[in-house]
Amino acid sequence: MHDITHAELLTRAKELDFPTRHHIDGREESGGGGAFAVVAPRDGQVLAHVADAGEAEVALAVAAARRAFDSGPWPRLAPAERGRVLVRIADLLEEHREWLALTVTLEMGKPITDAYQIELRAIINTFRWYGQLADKLTDESPHTAPDALALVTREPAGVVGAVVPWNFPLTLAGWKVAPALAAGCTVVLKPSENSPLSALLLARVATEAGLPPGVLNVVTGDGPTAGRALGLHPNVDVLAFTGSTAVGRYFLHYAADSNLKRVWLELGGKSPNIVLPDAPDLAKAAATAAWGIFFNQGEMCTAPSRLLVHSSVAEEVTEAIVARARELRVGDPLDPETEMGALVDEAHLERVRGHIAGGQEQGSRLRTGGSRVLTATGGSYLEPTVFDRVDPASRLAREEIFGPVLSVLTFDDVDEAVRLANATEYGLAAGLWTSDLNTAHRVSRALKAGTVWVNCYEEGDLTVPFGGVKQSGNGRDKSGHALDKYTELKTTWIQL
């Protein structure tokens, strides 16, 4: 996006026409409820008023998905044909890439360069990858005695409810929707009320690509009403959720109180990033740590928010991160030169500021940042923030902040680093910097996390699974393993 100027992007943003109605059974439906405002965090202005789903609208969407699954063509298509539709969706997402990136930037504050180059790349690749995988799956025929034949077949699980957050609104929707569709399921997607516009555009694109009516439905509304209705609905067979651990608990209750639907959860994190003194490149380790915590305004479940650094190199590494934080360009997310945009809304900004104030009260040392900036814009902007001398027992070190706030803790040996890293209820991701192969393997195995990055952070592609352990959730997005969430195994035993 660097070849387009800030002024040009401002003009194009004003020309956008947003969908504002639910997408149900292949059509846009207003429903019988009211509407809610979608506010741009860059300037506090209302982007659109979007239909607000209640139980009735969720029921309509689930009924459409149920019909499409029980009697529609999608689950009965040859897998290769389903795959071709998913690839067409990927092609159309690429065609509308700028339009979608602008929408993501406007609704949640992500810098336009990141929205275009990272967010859109991710969802395009996701639909293309699962489209190409759709006809590569195989069933099993275990060896049996000569007088019998056993078949183990994968069958689509049914209607999938997918509830996704605002921080990566298209990426995380794609990680749920694409494998569910590849498996032959139908989907009701509920995006965050902060970022419904991009999800509605995704539904438009999918319909244009030839997805049959009812296969992908999008209802917009809040969690306590629309999310709850989806979680409790007896005709939803699988519920896939990405969001906070607190809300994940609600979905488990909803499943218990309804039809015992399977619930797959990708939840919060307080990820440790361990820097040992034999790191192959301390400057790179520091630069990556800074990028990891400030990327996407720190609004990432995998953000390396706890930097665990050996005491012998702690000041060197911390000072490099502080220097990077001070030079980071915070500004209008529609400016291609902006490196850190706005937090998603005023309420979230105040929650993050509360954590910063609490850190200071509990004795952590504020090395840089901590203040709100660019207040004249009306947007929700915060300085990149770094604390050191953080007590491992403090809220700053233990609670997920979901903002650009780094906590630096020190250790004196590897065993202490592992103890600190695992001293959390979360287990989503971790980083490790070392030149010693033995240490890399030993520590990676000891860390309680779904993903461990060694001498890097946030690397990987669709071939590897993503998800957490402990209170960071269960199940996996990405890779062929994601299909496990959306399929049932059936055994057929034939006596010959």
Side-chain angles (χ1 to χ4, degrees):
M1 298 294 288
H2 285 282
D3 57 338
I4 304 176
T5 68
H6 187 193
E8 289 172 326
L9 286 169
L10 288 170
T11 298
R12 295 181 191 187
K14 292 177 182 176
E15 296 170 349
L16 292 178
D17 180 24
F18 300 115
T20 59
R21 297 183 291 171
H22 312 296
H23 193 98
I24 299 174
D25 210 14
R27 302 183 300 274
E28 295 187 8
E29 301 280 356
S30 296
F36 62 92
V38 180
V39 177
R42 62 178 288 271
D43 59 5
Q45 299 299 306
V46 174
L47 290 170
H49 288 87
V50 176
D52 193 2
E55 291 183 9
E57 288 74 28
V58 171
L60 284 174
V62 172
R66 186 84 263 164
R67 287 193 301 273
F69 184 79
D70 289 346
S71 56
W74 186 252
R76 295 157 189 84
L77 287 178
E81 181 56 34
R82 286 202 299 267
R84 282 191 282 272
V85 176
L86 296 187
V87 171
R88 283 200 294 272
I89 293 174
D91 291 340
L92 286 175
L93 290 170
E94 182 68 67
E95 184 178 321
H96 298 305
R97 188 168 182 167
E98 181 185 302
W99 173 41
L100 289 156
L102 281 168
T103 301
V104 168
T105 289
L106 287 169
E107 67 184 353
M108 62 77 54
K110 187 191 305 285
I112 185 63
T113 302
D114 292 344
Y116 187 87
Q117 294 181 353
I118 298 175
E119 179 96 14
L120 266 296
R121 180 186 66 197
I123 190 172
I124 291 165
N125 288 348
T126 298
F127 272 93
R128 183 162 287 123
W129 197 86
Y130 282 104
Q132 294 168 346
L133 181 67
D135 64 345
K136 310 299 189 299
L137 305 175
T138 57
D139 294 326
E140 303 171 27
S141 181
H143 289 290
T144 63
D147 63 346
L149 173 66
L151 302 174
V152 181
T153 53
R154 281 185 177 271
E155 298 186 353
V159 175
V160 174
V163 181
V164 297
W166 45 261
N167 59 325
F168 289 89
L170 286 177
T171 299
L172 298 178
W175 285 4
K176 304 284 192 280
V177 172
L181 296 182
C185 296
T186 58
V187 179
V188 178
L189 172 65
K190 195 211 82 72
S192 165
E193 56 269 36
N194 290 104
S195 57
L197 305 175
S198 54
L200 291 170
L201 289 173
L202 171 62
R204 274 189 184 177
V205 167
T207 297
E208 184 182 347
L211 202 64
V215 175
L216 175 59
N217 309 273
V218 177
V219 288
T220 54
D222 66 17
T225 302
R228 181 178 183 273
L230 196 57
L232 286 168
H233 203 291
N235 275 328
V236 174
D237 301 297
V238 175
L239 195 293
F241 171 72
T242 294
S244 72
T245 298
V247 175
R249 295 179 192 275
Y250 283 117
F251 281 108
L252 292 174
H253 283 293
Y254 299 153
D257 291 341
S258 56
N259 60 340
L260 293 178
K261 60 177 63 66
R262 282 189 289 161
V263 177
W264 300 106
L265 303 172
E266 194 268 281
L267 306 175
K270 192 69 176 176
S271 299
N273 187 20
I274 303 170
V275 180
L276 296 175
D278 69 340
D281 187 338
L282 281 175
K284 181 181 178 182
T288 304
W291 172 84
I293 189 60
F294 303 135
F295 170 62
N296 210 54
Q297 302 74 249
E299 296 166 327
M300 280 203 309
C301 50
T302 55
S305 53
R306 289 187 297 149
L307 179 66
L308 310 183
V309 58
H310 193 275
S311 55
S312 65
V313 294
E315 185 55 32
E316 176 184 351
V317 172
T318 304
E319 189 55 46
I321 295 171
V322 168
R324 175 60 183 138
R326 289 173 177 164
E327 69 182 19
L328 201 67
R329 181 166 177 171
V330 181
D332 184 358
L334 284 177
D335 185 345
E337 301 302 319
T338 289
E339 296 174 286
M340 200 174 93
L343 274 68
V344 70
D345 61 20
E346 284 292 306
H348 184 57
L349 172 64
E350 290 308 311
R351 281 193 295 271
V352 175
R353 292 180 72 192
H355 280 286
I356 292 170
Q360 292 175 291
E361 291 168 3
Q362 292 183 323
S364 298
R365 182 171 66 166
L366 180 63
R367 291 290 298 267
T368 191
S371 297
R372 182 173 187 167
V373 293
L374 304 175
T375 54
T377 65
S380 306
Y381 298 93
L382 183 69
E383 290 178 313
T385 303
V386 178
F387 282 95
D388 68 359
R389 299 180 183 173
V390 176
D391 182 347
S394 68
R395 291 181 59 208
L396 203 62
R398 301 184 67 86
E399 296 183 8
E400 184 176 36
I401 298 174
F402 221 65
V405 181
L406 179 66
S407 299
V408 181
L409 298 85
T410 60
F411 60 87
D412 293 318
D413 60 58
V414 173
D415 290 339
E416 183 186 5
V418 171
R419 286 196 300 272
L420 286 171
N422 289 336
T424 173
E425 65 189 26
Y426 299 112
L428 189 56
L432 172 65
W433 297 80
T434 180
S435 294
D436 187 272
L437 186 61
N438 180 65
T439 300
H441 281 291
R442 185 168 66 86
V443 174
S444 295
R445 291 180 180 183
L447 293 172
K448 304 302 182 186
T451 300
V452 178
W453 289 289
V454 179
N455 297 330
C456 60
Y457 207 89
E458 286 293 342
E459 297 295 338
D461 58 25
L462 283 159
T463 63
V464 293
F466 174 81
V469 299
K470 298 196 286 187
Q471 293 188 38
S472 287
N474 55 58
R476 294 296 181 262
D477 289 327
K478 297 173 57 187
S479 82
H481 294 286
L483 292 158
D484 295 340
K485 300 194 296 188
Y486 308 115
T487 54
E488 299 283 9
L489 294 179
K490 175 182 284 185
T491 296
T492 303
W493 187 278
I494 302 172
Q495 196 68 41
L496 301 179

